[in-house]
C-alpha cells in the first residue's frame, strides 16, 4: 500500500529516519573536528555491526569475537602501509580478503557446536588474536602497535576528516542497503530459517553448514573495511583498541539496536557511542550510569530500540486502520500480473493459475485462470522401505519394516501412539539414520544422506507440531519453501539484481496462489506466530508444496483440527494427490485416511502388522484387535467417520476383549 | 623438560585448574534452572579474591570467617543479579537474549566499582590456618598442603552438589532444566529456584576467588579472562555437568601451565583453545554432555 509522501514522512518510521538523518549530518554541518571524529568512530562501529547483524540477527549464530575481525582488517592495513609503504586505499581489498578468510575460520566451529559453545569459542578466538597482536613477532609491533599509517587519499588527493566521515556514512548506507536486500532475498530467508529452526531449514533442503560459513564470510567484508578505515582514521593501531571489550561492544550494539533489524546496527552504535559522550559530565559516575542505562534499555526493550519503533508504528497503524478493510493487496496473482513474468521453465510459468478438479471446492480464486494442470508441475516418485530397523539404546523402535509406495500413491500410515510411525517418517526424511535396512527413493538408496540432501531430492515433510518462522509473515513462511530451487551468486542477492527481483515476484505470486487455493490468502501478511493452529498446519503444507516435492510426508496433519478444518485438509490432500505426488500420511483420524488414502500400512510396537488396500486392511482382524477396536453401541466392525482412534482399549472405543460380539 | 620441572608445572596447572573448575561449577549452577549464563561471573570471582585480600590481610580477619562472610556477600550479589538483570526480561519475553546485555552491564558495574576502590597488590593472602601455602619436597617437586587441600576440595564439590541435586528442591531444579513447561505444570516454583541457584552460584563464584587469593595476587584486568576460562572448563566438560567442569578445569589449567613453560606465556590461551577444539571435535557437547536425540 502506497501512502502519499507526506503521510509516510509523518509516520513513526519516517520521523525516526528523519531524526537519524539529521543526527548523521550534524557533524558535516557543524564542522567541529571532535564531533566529526566521534561521528566517524560511530560509523565504523555501525559498519562492523552490520556484518554481525547478518551473522546473529539473521542467521542466529553468536559471535562474541567479531572485534577480532575488525582488528585483522586494521592490522592488514597498518602492516601494508607502515612496513611496506602501500597507500591506504590499496590495502582495503587485502584487508577485506583477510577478514573474509578469518570469518570463515571463525565459522567452522558453528557447524558442530550449540549456540553457547559457539559464543565461548568465538570469544576465545578474539583472545588469541589479541594475544598474537601483543606478542613480539616483528610484524605487528607487539604491545606498542604500529604508528604512521596515514590518511586515505583518492588519486593523490588526501581526504579531509570531514570527507572521510562522508565516505564512512556512504559505506554504512551501502551496508544497510545490502543487508536490507539480503533480508528480503531467498538467501536471507534461508538464514532466518536456520535461526528459528535448523530442522525446518534442513527439511526444506537448505544446506545449513554452507549457509553458516557464508554468513560469517560475508560479515567479514564490512568488518575488514571498518578496521582498515579505523586504522587510517587514527593513524595508529595497538592491541588495546581491539581487546575483547570491542567484541562485546559490537554484540551489545546489535542487541541494543535491535537484533535482526536493518537499522539496528546504526541505532545501537549511536547509543553505545553517544551515551558515554553525554555522560562525560558525570565524571566518576559515568560507567555506573552507563551500566544502569544498559540495564534499563534491555529491560524495557528486550527486542532492541528498533523494536520499540516498530511497536509504536504498529500501534499508530492500528489507529489508522480502524474502519479500513483488512487484507489489502493480498489477492492471488491475476492473469495480467502473470504476463509480466519471463519465466524460463514451464514449471515456473504454470503454477500461479493452476486449476484442477479438486480445486473447485477448495477456494474461490477470483483471478485464477484454467492454466496448466498441477500434474505437469508436480510428479511423484516411488518409495521403498526394506527391512528397516532402528534401536534407541536397548529399545527397538522399529523392527524389520518393509513396504513399498508406488509413485503417485497416497499411503496412510496408522497405528497406536509409540508404534514407530514418526520414527519411520524421520528416517525417510533423514533426521534419523536406520540401524539396519534400506530406504529407496525413486529407485535409489538414500541411506546415510543428510535430511537436507534428501529434501533436495524431493522429499518434503510437515511436522507433528507445526514449525513456522513465527516472527515472519505467512507469505515469507511459504516462499522460504522454495529455497532449494533458488541459487544465485551472492552479489546478485546483495544488489537485488533484476533477475532476483523477477524471481522474487514469481515465487511470491506462486505462494499467494497456493495460499489462495487453500483459502488463506487473506492471512498472507500476518505474522505466522499469531495464526490459529489449523492455519499453521495449512501454511506448513503449502510451504512443503513450494519446494516442489515428489514425495510428501505428512505427520498427523489433522491433530488439533476441528471437523470443518479436517474437511478442508481432506480436500487439500486430495488436490496434492491429484497432482500426482506420492504422499505418506501418518494419521490417527481413520475417517480421513479412509477417504484420501489408496493403501494403508498399519504398525504396532515397531512392527508392520498389515499392509494393503484401505477396505481390506480396515476390516482385518489383527488390525481391529491391535488398534481400531469396535464401537460398542453400534456393534459395527471397523471405525466410523470422525472416530479418533489410537486410544487404549476401554476408552470410548472398546477393545476386542470387551467386545459384545 | 626435566622430571622435576614437569612435576612442578603439573602441580601449578592442577592448582589453577581447581580454580577454573570451581568457577565453572558456579556457572553450571546458575545455568541449570533457566539456561542463562552470568557474564559478570569473571568479576564475581575477582571480587572474591579482592575481598579476601582486604578482609584477611588488611583487616586481619580469621581466614575462615572472612571466607564465609565473602560467600554471603557473593550469594547476595548473585541473587540481586538474578532479580535485577534476569527476571524483568524473562517476564517480558522469555526467548530474548537481552540477558546477555544485562549481565554484561552488571559486569561493567563490578569492574568499575573494583577499579575505583582497589589499587592492586602484589602480595598473596596467606593460606588458611592449618593449610599453609609454604611448600615441602614431594619427590623432586615442591608442593604445599594448600595445593593438596584445594584439589581435594574441588573434587568433593561435585559430590556435595550431587547430593544437593538429589534433594526435593534439587530434583525440581533438574526438572526445570529438562522440561521447563512440564515442570511448571507440576507446580515447580521456577522463580524461587532460579533465585536460589543464583545465590548459590554467586557464593561459589566468590569462593573460587577466595581460594585463588593464596595462589596469586588478584589482577583487576583479568575479569574476562577468568570468565572465559570458566566457560571453557564447562564447555570441555559438558554444559551443566559438574564432574565435567572438574575435568575440564584441570585439563585447561594443565594445558595452560605447560604451554606457558614449554612455549611462551603469551601462548597459554592458544593451547587452551586447541584443546577445546580437539575435545569438541570429538564430542560436540563436551566430555559428559548428554547426547540429545533430535526432537522432530
Amino acid at each position: 500500500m502506497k501512502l502519499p509522501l507526506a503521510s509516510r514522512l509523518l509516520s513513526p518510521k519516517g520521523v525516526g529516519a528523519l531524526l537519524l538523518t539529521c543526527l548523521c549530518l550534524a557533524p558535516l554541518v557543524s564542522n567541529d573536528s571532535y564531533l566529526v571524529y566521534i561521528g566517524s568512530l560511530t560509523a565504523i562501529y555501525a559498519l562492523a555491526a552490520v556484518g554481525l547483524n547478518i551473522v546473529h540477527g539473521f542467521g542466529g549464530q553468536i559471535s562474541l569475537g567479531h572485534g577480532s575481525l575488525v582488528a585483522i582488517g586494521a592490522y592488514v592495513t597498518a602492516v601494508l602501509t607502515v612496513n611496506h609503504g602501500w597507500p591506504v586505499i590499496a590495502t582495503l581489498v587485502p584487508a577485506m580478503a583477510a577478514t573474509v578468510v578469518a570469518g570463515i575460520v571463525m565459522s567452522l566451529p558453528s557447524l558442530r557446536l550449540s549456540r553457547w559453545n559457539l559464543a565461548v569459542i568465538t570469544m576465545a578466538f578474539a583472545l588469541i588474536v589479541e594475544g598474537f597482536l601483543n606478542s613480539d613477532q616483528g610484524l605487528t609491533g607487539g604491545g606498542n602497535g604500529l604508528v604512521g599509517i596515514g590518511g586515505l587519499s583518492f588519486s593523490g588527493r588526501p581526504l579531509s576528516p570531514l570527507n572521510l566521515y562522508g565516505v564512512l556514512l556512504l559505506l554504512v548506507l551501502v551496508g544497510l542497503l545490502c543487508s536490507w536486500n539480503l533480508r528480503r532475498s531467498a538467501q536471507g530467508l534461508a538464514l532466518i530459517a536456520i535461526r528459528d529452526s535448523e530442522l525446518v531449514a534442513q527439511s526444506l533442503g537448505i544446506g545449513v553448514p554452507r549457509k553458516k560459513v557464508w554468513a560469517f564470510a560475508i560479515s567479514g567484508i564490512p568488518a575488514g573495511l571498518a578496521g582498515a578505515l579505523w586504522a587510517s582514521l587514527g593513524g595508529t593501531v595497538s592491541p588495546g583498541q581491539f581487546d575483547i571489550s570491542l567484541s562485546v561492544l559490537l554484540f551489545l550494539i546489535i542487541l541494543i539496536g535491535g537484533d535482526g533489524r536493518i537499522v539496528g546496527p546504526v541505532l545501537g552504535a549511536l547509543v553505545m557511542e553517544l551515551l558515554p559522550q553525554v555522560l562525560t559530565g558525570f565524571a566518576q559516575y559515568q560507567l555506573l550510569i552507563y551500566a544502569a542505562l544498559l540495564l534499563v534499555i534491555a529491560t524495557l526493550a528486550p527486542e532492541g530500540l528498533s523494536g520499540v519503533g516498530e511497536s509504536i508504528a504498529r500501534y499508530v497503524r492500528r489507529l489508522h486502520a480502524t474502519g479500513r478493510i483488512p487484507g489489502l493487496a493480498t489477492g492471488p496473482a491475476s492473469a495480467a500480473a502473470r504476463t509480466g513474468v519471463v519465466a524460463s521453465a514451464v514449471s515456473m510459468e504454470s503454477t500461479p493459475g493452476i486449476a484442477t478438479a479438486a480445486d473447485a471446492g477448495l477456494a474461490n480464486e477470483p483471478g485464477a485462470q484454467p492454466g496448466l494442470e498441477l500434474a505437469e508441475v508436480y510428479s511423484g516418485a516411488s518409495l521403498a522401505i526394506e527391512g528397516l530397523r532402528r534401536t534407541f539404546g536397548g529399545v527397538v523402535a522399529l523392527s524389520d519394516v518393509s513396504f513399498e509406495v508406488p509413485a503417485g500413491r497416497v499411503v496412510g500410515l496408522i497405528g497406536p501412539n509409540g508404534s514407530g510411525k514418526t520414527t519411520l517418517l524421520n528416517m525417510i526424511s533423514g533426521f534419523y539414520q536406520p540401524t539396519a535396512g534400506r530406504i529407496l527413493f525413486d529407485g535409489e538408496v538414500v541411506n546415510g544422506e543428510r535430511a537436507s540432501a534428501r529434501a533436495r531430492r524431493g522429499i518434503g515433510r510437515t511436522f507433528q507440531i507445526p514449525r513456522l518462522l513465527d516472527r515472519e509473515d505467512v507469505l515469507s513462511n511459504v516462499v522460504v519453501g522454495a529455497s532449494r530451487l533458488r541459487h544465485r551468486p551472492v552479489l546478485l542477492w546483495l544488489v537485488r539484481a533484476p533477475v532476483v527481483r523477477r524471481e522474487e515476484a514469481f515465487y511470491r505470486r506462486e505462494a499467494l496462489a497456493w495460499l489462495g487455493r487453500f483459502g488463506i490468502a487473506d492471512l498472507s501478511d500476518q505474522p505466522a506466530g499469531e495464526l490459529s493452529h489449523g492455519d499453521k498446519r495449512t501454511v506448513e503444507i503449502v510451504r512443503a508444496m513450494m519446494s516442489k516435492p515428489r514425495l510428501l510426508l505428512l505427520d498427523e496433519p489433522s491433530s488439533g483440527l476441528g471437523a470443518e478444518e479436517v474437511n478442508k485438509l481432506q480436500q487439500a490432500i486430495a488436490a496434492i494427490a491429484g497432482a500426482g505426488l506420492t504422499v505418506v500420511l501418518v494419521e490417527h483420524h481413520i475417517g480421513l485416511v479412509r477417504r484420501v488414502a489408496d493403501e494403508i500400512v498399519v504398525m504396532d510396537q515397531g512392527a508392520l502388522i498389515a499392509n494393503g488396500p484401505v477396505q481390506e486392511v480396515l476390516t482385518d482382524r489383527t488390525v481391529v484387535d491391535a488398534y481400531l477396536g469396535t464401537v460398542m453401541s453400534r456393534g459395527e466392525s471397523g471405525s466410523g467417520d470422525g472416530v479418533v482412534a489410537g486410544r487404549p482399549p476401554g476408552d470410548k472405543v472398546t477393545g476386542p476383549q470387551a467386545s459384545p460380539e | 623438560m626435566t622430571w622435576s620441572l614437569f612435576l612442578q608445572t603439573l602441580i601449578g596447572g592442577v592448582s589453577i585448574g581447581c580454580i577454573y573448575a570451581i568457577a565453572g561449577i558456579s556457572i553450571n549452577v546458575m545455568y541449570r534452572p533457566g539456561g542463562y549464563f552470568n557474564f559478570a561471573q569473571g568479576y564475581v570471582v575477582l571480587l572474591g579474591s579482592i575481598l579476601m585480600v582486604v578482609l584477611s590481610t588488611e583487616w586481619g580477619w580469621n581466614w575462615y570467617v572472612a571466607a564465609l562472610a565473602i560467600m554471603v556477600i557473593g550469594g547476595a550479589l548473585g541473587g540481586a543479579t538474578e532479580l535485577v538483570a534476569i527476571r524483568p526480561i524473562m517476564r517480558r519475553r522469555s526467548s530474548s537474549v537481552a540477558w546477555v546485555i544485562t549481565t554484561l552491564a552488571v559486569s561493567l558495574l563490578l569492574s568499575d566499582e573494583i577499579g575505583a576502590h582497589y589499587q592492586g597488590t602484589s602480595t598473596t593472602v596467606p593460606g588458611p590456618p592449618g593449610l599453609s601455602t609454604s611448600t615441602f619436597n614431594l619427590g623432586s617437586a615442591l608442593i604445599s598442603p594448600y595445593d593438596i587441600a584445594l584439589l581435594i576440595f574441588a573434587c568433593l564439590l561435585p559430590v556435595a552438589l550431587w547430593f544437593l541435586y538429589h534433594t526435593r528442591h534439587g530434583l525440581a531444579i533438574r526438572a526445570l532444566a529438562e522440561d521447563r513447561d512440564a515442570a511448571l505444570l507440576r507446580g515447580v516454583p521456577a522463580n524461587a529456584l532460579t533465585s536460589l541457584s543464583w545465590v548459590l552460584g554467586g557464593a561459589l563464584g566468590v569462593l573460587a576467588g577466595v581460594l585463588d587469593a593464596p595462589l596469586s595476587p588478584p589482577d583487576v584486568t583479568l575479569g574476562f579472562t577468568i570468565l572465559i576460562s570458566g566457560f571453557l572448563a564447562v564447555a570441555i566438560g559438558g554444559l551443566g555437568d559438574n564432574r565435567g567442569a572438574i575435568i575440564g578445569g584441570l585439563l585447561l589449567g594443565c594445558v595452560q601451565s605447560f604451554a606457558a613453560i614449554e612455549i611462551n606465556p603469551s601462548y597459554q590461551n592458544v593451547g587452551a583453545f586447541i584443546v577445546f577444539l580437539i575435545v569438541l571435535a570429538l564430542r560436540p557437547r563436551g566430555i559428559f554432555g548428554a547426547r540429545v536425540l533430535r526432537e522432530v
Side-chain angles (χ1 to χ4, degrees):
Chain A
M1 60 186 140
K2 292 260 179 207
L3 297 173
L5 184 68
S7 70
R8 277 168 91 183
L9 277 180
L10 282 177
S11 73
K13 254 189 191 164
V15 172
L18 222 60
L19 278 177
L20 206 60
T21 316
C22 291
L23 205 56
C24 293
L25 294 181
L28 290 177
V29 177
S30 78
N31 204 3
D32 175 82
S33 65
Y34 182 67
L35 210 57
V36 170
Y37 176 76
I38 292 298
S40 304
L41 209 54
T42 311
I44 284 170
Y45 287 151
L47 195 58
V50 164
L52 185 57
N53 199 31
I54 292 172
V55 169
H56 184 262
F58 299 174
Q61 305 303 304
I62 290 184
S63 166
L64 282 174
H66 233 65
S68 61
L69 296 185
V70 179
I72 289 169
Y75 266 87
V76 167
T77 293
V79 168
L80 288 179
T81 49
V82 176
N83 296 359
H84 301 277
W86 289 33
V88 171
I89 191 140
T91 66
L92 296 183
V93 171
M96 286 189 279
T99 46
V100 167
V101 173
I104 291 173
V105 172
M106 213 158 92
S107 77
L108 295 180
S110 75
L111 306 185
R112 288 202 64 171
L113 299 184
S114 63
R115 265 166 96 86
W116 294 107
N117 277 349
L118 184 62
V120 177
I121 216 162
T122 48
M123 223 168 177
F125 182 86
L127 275 187
I128 286 172
V129 170
E130 193 191 331
F132 175 78
L133 297 179
N134 257 318
S135 63
D136 299 311
Q137 6 59 11
L139 186 68
T140 65
N144 298 326
L146 292 166
V147 185
I149 292 158
L152 193 62
S153 56
F154 272 121
S155 58
R157 285 219 342 261
L159 290 184
S160 70
L162 203 62
N163 290 343
L164 182 61
Y165 176 64
V167 169
L168 279 166
L169 272 189
L170 206 65
L171 284 174
V172 171
L173 205 62
V174 169
L176 291 183
L177 259 173
C178 284
S179 67
W180 189 30
N181 287 339
L182 186 67
R183 179 66 180 75
R184 294 185 290 170
S185 73
Q187 195 78 1
L189 265 180
L191 284 177
I192 300 272
I194 292 171
R195 177 190 76 190
D196 287 356
S197 168
E198 284 197 19
L199 284 177
V200 167
Q202 287 167 344
S203 80
L204 296 175
I206 295 168
V208 175
R210 249 185 66 179
K211 289 279 188 290
K212 284 182 181 173
V213 173
W214 183 91
F216 271 94
I218 206 108
S219 78
I221 295 176
L225 209 50
L229 293 175
W230 195 355
S232 162
L233 176 74
T236 63
V237 289
S238 66
Q241 264 176 290
F242 308 107
D243 62 5
I244 187 78
S245 56
L246 175 64
S247 299
V248 172
L249 176 69
L250 288 177
F251 197 69
L252 284 181
I253 283 176
I254 63 161
L255 288 189
I256 293 270
D259 199 13
R261 319 270 176 160
I262 303 302
V263 292
V266 174
L267 288 180
L270 274 172
V271 170
M272 299 303 286
E273 184 56 35
L274 293 188
L275 259 188
Q277 301 301 331
V278 174
L279 295 174
T280 41
F282 295 93
Q284 67 184 102
Y285 298 112
Q286 186 190 346
L287 204 59
L288 194 77
I289 299 172
Y290 179 62
L293 279 176
L294 278 187
L295 266 172
V296 171
I297 292 174
T299 313
L300 294 183
E303 297 208 47
L305 292 175
S306 35
V308 172
E310 197 158 285
S311 47
I312 295 174
R314 213 179 296 140
Y315 178 71
V316 172
R317 213 180 307 139
R318 205 174 300 146
L319 287 185
H320 272 289
T322 40
R324 197 182 284 172
I325 310 141
L328 285 155
T330 52
S334 67
R338 262 177 59 219
T339 49
V341 186
V342 190
S344 49
V346 182
S347 64
M348 283 188 148
E349 180 65 88
S350 59
T351 11
I354 323 139
T356 64
D359 262 345
L362 257 178
N364 320 325
E365 202 180 315
Q369 299 280 317
L372 288 157
E373 295 290 319
L374 270 176
E376 287 177 39
V377 182
Y378 291 90
S379 69
S382 67
L383 172 74
I385 305 293
E386 293 179 358
L388 211 59
R389 182 182 170 80
R390 170 76 210 202
T391 54
F392 295 103
V395 181
V396 181
L398 217 59
S399 66
D400 202 30
V401 171
S402 304
F403 64 92
E404 273 181 41
V405 185
R409 215 60 77 77
V410 178
V411 170
L413 185 56
I414 63 173
N417 288 330
S419 60
K421 304 183 299 293
T422 296
T423 306
L424 180 58
L425 215 60
N426 284 338
M427 284 201 284
I428 298 171
S429 58
F431 288 114
Y432 294 157
Q433 296 298 339
T435 314
R438 299 202 302 171
I439 300 166
L440 287 92
F441 177 68
D442 203 16
E444 286 175 55
V445 179
V446 294
N447 285 30
E449 270 182 21
R450 286 163 178 271
S452 53
R454 292 192 203 183
R456 285 194 287 271
R457 278 180 182 273
I459 301 182
R461 72 166 291 167
T462 65
F463 295 90
Q464 216 171 75
I465 300 160
R467 288 169 188 262
L468 298 177
L469 316 179
D470 285 342
R471 283 147 75 183
E472 302 302 303
D473 62 17
V474 166
L475 192 62
S476 305
N477 265 282
V478 174
V479 169
V480 75
S483 294
R484 78 175 181 98
L485 307 168
R486 306 172 64 181
H487 297 289
R488 299 277 172 202
V490 174
L491 194 64
L492 294 187
W493 295 124
L494 291 180
V495 302
R496 206 168 162 76
V499 59
V500 166
R501 281 176 210 221
R502 275 203 300 275
E503 192 186 275
E504 185 72 34
F506 171 78
Y507 280 108
R508 286 171 75 91
R509 269 201 302 278
E510 181 179 348
L512 277 172
W514 266 111
L515 287 171
R517 192 170 302 116
F518 281 62
I520 52 170
D522 55 327
L523 298 178
S524 65
D525 58 352
Q526 302 265 321
E530 291 171 14
L531 294 185
S532 73
H533 184 73
D535 288 336
K536 280 185 182 175
R537 288 209 174 282
T538 314
V539 171
E540 235 195 7
I541 295 174
V542 173
R543 178 177 72 191
M545 288 308 286
M546 285 292 284
S547 73
K548 301 276 178 328
R550 304 182 63 202
L551 165 66
L552 185 60
L553 309 169
L554 299 173
D555 197 356
E556 298 190 17
S558 83
S559 75
L561 299 192
E564 186 54 37
E565 288 172 316
V566 172
N567 276 338
K568 276 202 217 159
L569 177 69
Q570 182 197 330
Q571 286 168 335
I573 296 173
I576 291 166
L581 253 74
T582 315
V583 178
V584 174
L585 172 67
V586 169
E587 199 39 86
H588 280 307
H589 195 300
I590 301 301
L592 176 65
V593 173
R594 183 153 63 187
R595 288 193 294 266
V596 299
D598 302 312
E599 286 175 28
I600 290 186
V601 171
V602 189
M603 298 192 42
D604 187 28
Q605 297 180 4
L608 187 147
I609 59 169
N611 178 11
V614 176
Q615 265 321 309
E616 213 172 281
V617 171
L618 287 183
T619 50
D620 184 287
R621 186 73 217 173
T622 8
V623 175
V624 172
D625 283 355
Y627 179 49
L628 297 176
T630 48
V631 178
M632 205 197 292
S633 56
R634 293 192 209 150
E636 289 170 15
S637 66
S639 183
D641 274 13
V643 172
V644 178
R647 295 172 196 279
D651 182 9
K652 260 190 193 169
V653 183
T654 55
Q657 57 273 59
S659 165
E661 289 171 51
Chain B
M1 178 175 255
T2 62
W3 174 241
S4 76
L5 182 59
F6 174 82
L7 268 186
Q8 207 59 61
T9 313
L10 187 68
I11 291 168
V14 166
S15 293
I16 189 68
C18 289
I19 304 299
Y20 294 157
I22 297 169
I25 287 174
S26 76
I27 289 173
N28 271 343
V29 167
M30 289 172 154
Y31 171 78
R32 227 31 190 308
Y36 325 120
F37 298 105
N38 184 4
F39 278 86
Q41 199 67 350
Y43 281 99
V44 170
V45 173
L46 202 59
L47 182 72
S49 279
I50 290 168
L51 286 177
M52 195 62 195
V53 171
V54 174
L55 293 187
S56 159
T57 322
E58 292 178 17
W59 297 4
W61 286 29
N62 173 286
W63 200 95
Y64 294 103
V65 174
L68 214 63
I70 293 168
M71 282 179 73
V72 170
I73 296 172
L77 183 63
T81 306
E82 197 270 337
L83 217 58
V84 173
I86 303 285
R87 197 173 293 182
I89 294 173
M90 291 308 135
R91 198 165 35 212
R92 291 180 143 249
R93 205 181 118 88
S94 58
S95 63
S96 163
V97 282
W99 54 268
V100 176
I101 307 178
T102 50
T103 57
L104 277 170
V106 172
S107 183
L108 273 178
L109 280 177
L110 282 179
S111 78
D112 184 43
E113 285 306 300
I114 289 172
H117 299 291
Y118 175 70
Q119 275 72 43
T121 176
S122 53
T123 54
T124 54
V125 171
L131 292 170
S132 158
T133 47
S134 54
T135 53
F136 59 87
N137 268 315
L138 181 84
S140 49
L142 295 168
I143 192 166
S144 72
Y146 186 76
D147 290 330
I148 299 170
L150 185 59
L151 180 61
I152 294 172
F153 176 79
C155 291
L156 285 179
L157 193 56
V159 180
L161 285 173
W162 188 91
F163 281 109
L164 211 57
Y165 278 117
H166 282 76
T167 60
R168 199 177 139 77
H169 288 90
L171 193 67
I173 290 175
R174 286 190 292 145
L176 276 176
E178 188 138 310
D179 189 336
R180 192 175 178 84
D181 290 337
L184 288 174
L185 284 175
R186 301 290 295 176
V188 167
N191 280 341
L193 290 174
T194 309
S195 288
L196 197 67
S197 295
W198 279 61
V199 168
L200 184 61
L204 287 174
V206 289
L207 181 64
V210 165
L211 294 175
D212 188 39
L215 295 174
S216 59
D219 179 348
V220 281
T221 61
L222 285 185
F224 263 113
T225 316
I226 297 170
L227 176 72
I228 291 171
S229 301
F231 270 162
L232 282 176
V234 164
I236 290 173
L239 188 56
D241 192 294
N242 294 327
R243 294 166 301 169
I246 296 289
I247 306 249
L250 292 180
L251 193 63
L252 200 63
C254 291
V255 168
Q256 284 190 353
S257 170
F258 278 101
I261 297 287
E262 280 289 276
I263 311 166
N264 179 330
S266 62
Y267 286 102
Q268 276 190 16
N269 287 325
V270 180
F273 188 65
I274 290 171
V275 170
F276 181 50
L277 278 183
I278 292 171
V279 170
L280 290 191
L282 300 174
R283 293 189 64 93
R285 291 185 180 272
I287 295 172
F288 289 106
R291 254 194 73 212
V292 177
L293 279 172
R294 219 184 273 269
E295 290 168 29
V296 183

